[in-house]
């Protein structure tokens, strides 16, 4: 809308329109910025400057496009699931303390092993010293055994090689002399776990037990050990050997003895040690009144160092 300053505008009532501009009365002209108003007291020949009219042109505001959505998302993670990368100095401190802990562990293991080894050596030295003292004080010697007689039963006719093979039930009664030569050591024989066996040329014939008794220092004890067998069958060759030995008046038998022994050292009784003896006895015939032709025994008792 153009207005010529040389033309005179007629006074018309104020109207509102929907054109490119809006016409506002003077009373409301102060509510807008950029109005061209003049004071009423200053007349002007320009109709556009009349106090009765005020013109304001408002440009349409361009609409802003909606903000573009970025690819940023907010993800909530529980606190106990958050993993944080420790600073590098923490790793160095961890390695330092780990190495120190390993060194301390190795040192402690070495210290414990050294203490155990030292304790073992000390205990061994003490035991050796105690054994030396006992040996010097008591002077232990091995006991000796001799088979004085060996009565044989149940083997009648075994030397008859022509007879039909049969089962035999041999029996042996061995009269044994036990000699304890120690002046300060007594011997306890525990018969409950003892064993006496008689064999011929490796063939077991009978089993029995060693009697339980106590033999004091410098004591000689004579006792009888019995052994019994049953259902013994000999091979033809073994029967021939026994028949030939009986003709020669020397039938050899092996007597093996195993008996636990406890030693009495003054007022102290030791633990049970195994005592073993192997005797080879030869008799003139296979009868109850057989006489011993030869006898030899080898005794082994594991206690300190026995002397003969």
């Amino acid at each position: 809308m153009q207005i010529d300053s040389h033309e005179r505008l007629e006074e018309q009532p104020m109207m509102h329109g929907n054109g490119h501009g809006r016409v506002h009365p003077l009373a409301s002209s102060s509510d807008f910025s950029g109005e061209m108003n003049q004071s009423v007291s200053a007349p002007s020949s320009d109709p556009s400057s009349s106090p009765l009219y005020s013109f304001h042109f408002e440009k349409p505001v361009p609409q802003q496009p909606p903000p573009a959505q970025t690819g940023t998302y907010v993800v909530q993670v529980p606190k106990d699931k958050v993993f944080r990368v420790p600073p590098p100095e923490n790793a160095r401190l961890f390695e330092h303390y780990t190495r120190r802990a390993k060194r301390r562990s190795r040192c402690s293991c070495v210290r414990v092993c050294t203490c155990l080894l030292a304790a073992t050596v000390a205990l061994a030295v003490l035991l050796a010293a105690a054994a030396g003292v006992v040996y010097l004080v008591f002077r232990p010697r091995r006991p000796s055994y001799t088979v004085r007689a060996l009565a044989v039963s149940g083997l009648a006719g075994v030397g008859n090689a022509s007879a039909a093979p049969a089962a035999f039930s041999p029996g042996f009664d061995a009269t044994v002399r036990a000699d304890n030569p120690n002046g300060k050591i007594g011997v306890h024989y525990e018969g409950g776990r003892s064993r006496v066996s008689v064999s011929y040329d490796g063939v077991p014939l009978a089993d029995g037990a060693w009697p339980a008794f106590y033999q004091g220092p410098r004591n000689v004890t004579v006792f009888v050990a019995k052994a019994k067998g049953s259902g013994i069958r000999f091979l033809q060759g073994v029967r021939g050997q026994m028949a030939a030995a009986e003709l020669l008046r020397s039938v050899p038998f092996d007597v093996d003895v195993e008996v636990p022994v406890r030693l009495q050292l003054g007022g102290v009784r030791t633990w049970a040690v195994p005592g073993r003896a192997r005797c080879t006895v030869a008799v003139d015939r296979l009868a109850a009144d057989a006489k011993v032709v030869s006898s030899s025994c080898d005794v082994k008792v594991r206690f300190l160092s026995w002397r003969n």
Side-chain angles (χ1 to χ4, degrees):
M1 179 178 182
Q2 297 181 357
I3 302 175
D4 190 1
S5 59
H6 298 283
E7 294 180 359
R8 185 177 181 84
L9 298 177
E10 295 182 359
E11 295 183 358
Q12 297 179 357
M14 298 181 64
M15 298 177 64
H16 296 277
N18 296 330
H20 294 284
R22 290 180 298 178
V23 180
H24 302 278
L26 181 61
S28 62
S29 63
S30 59
D31 295 336
F32 301 93
S33 61
E35 294 176 349
M36 296 181 296
N37 298 329
Q38 293 184 357
S39 174
V40 178
S41 60
S44 175
S45 61
D46 191 356
S48 62
S49 61
S50 174
L52 298 179
Y53 299 93
S54 174
F55 301 94
H56 173 75
F57 297 92
E58 180 178 338
K59 296 181 179 181
V61 179
Q63 296 183 355
Q64 296 292 337
Q69 296 183 356
T70 60
T72 303
Y73 300 92
V74 178
V75 180
Q76 294 183 356
V77 181
K79 186 176 182 180
D80 56 347
K81 299 297 182 180
V82 176
F83 300 95
R84 298 179 177 85
V85 179
E89 56 270 16
N90 287 8
R92 289 192 295 270
L93 289 175
F94 175 77
E95 294 179 359
H96 170 70
Y97 288 122
T98 302
R99 288 194 299 269
R100 188 168 66 177
K102 289 182 179 179
R103 286 196 299 268
R104 289 182 177 178
S105 177
R106 287 194 296 267
C107 292
S108 61
C109 291
V110 171
R111 189 179 299 110
V112 170
C113 293
T114 304
C115 293
L116 290 177
L117 181 61
T120 304
V121 172
L123 182 60
V125 171
L126 291 176
L127 290 177
V133 171
V134 170
Y135 180 79
L136 293 175
V137 171
F138 293 95
R139 299 285 182 172
R141 298 176 61 184
R142 285 194 189 98
S144 61
Y145 307 99
T146 304
V147 179
R148 304 287 299 271
L150 183 64
V152 181
S153 61
L155 292 178
V158 70
N160 188 1
S162 61
F168 296 88
S169 299
F172 300 89
D173 293 343
T175 302
V176 182
R177 171 190 168 105
D179 185 5
N180 180 14
N182 296 282
K184 298 180 180 180
I185 299 177
V187 181
H188 294 271
Y189 296 99
E190 298 184 356
R193 294 178 293 171
S194 63
R195 180 174 180 267
V196 178
S197 62
V198 181
S199 61
Y200 174 83
D201 194 20
V203 179
L205 301 179
D207 288 326
W210 187 278
F213 64 94
Y214 171 71
Q215 187 177 20
R218 298 190 184 279
N219 178 264
V220 176
T221 303
V222 178
F223 60 93
V224 177
K226 296 184 178 182
K228 186 68 176 177
S230 61
I232 306 300
R233 295 181 179 275
F234 297 98
L235 297 177
Q236 194 70 22
V238 174
R239 295 180 63 178
Q241 291 179 6
M242 294 183 70
E246 190 174 10
L247 291 176
L248 295 175
R249 299 290 182 175
S250 179
V251 183
F253 293 99
D254 294 325
V255 181
D256 294 312
V257 178
E258 295 181 4
V259 55
V261 175
R262 293 180 184 269
L263 303 182
Q264 188 73 33
L265 305 176
V268 178
R269 182 182 300 183
T270 65
W271 58 92
V273 294
R276 292 182 176 88
R278 184 179 182 88
C279 300
T280 302
V281 183
V283 294
D284 59 350
R285 60 179 180 270
L286 301 177
D289 57 349
K291 295 181 180 180
V292 175
V293 177
S294 64
S295 174
S296 62
C297 294
D298 182 19
V299 181
K300 295 181 180 180
V301 180
R302 295 180 181 179
F303 181 78
L304 302 179
S305 177
W306 293 86
R307 299 183 301 167
N308 294 327

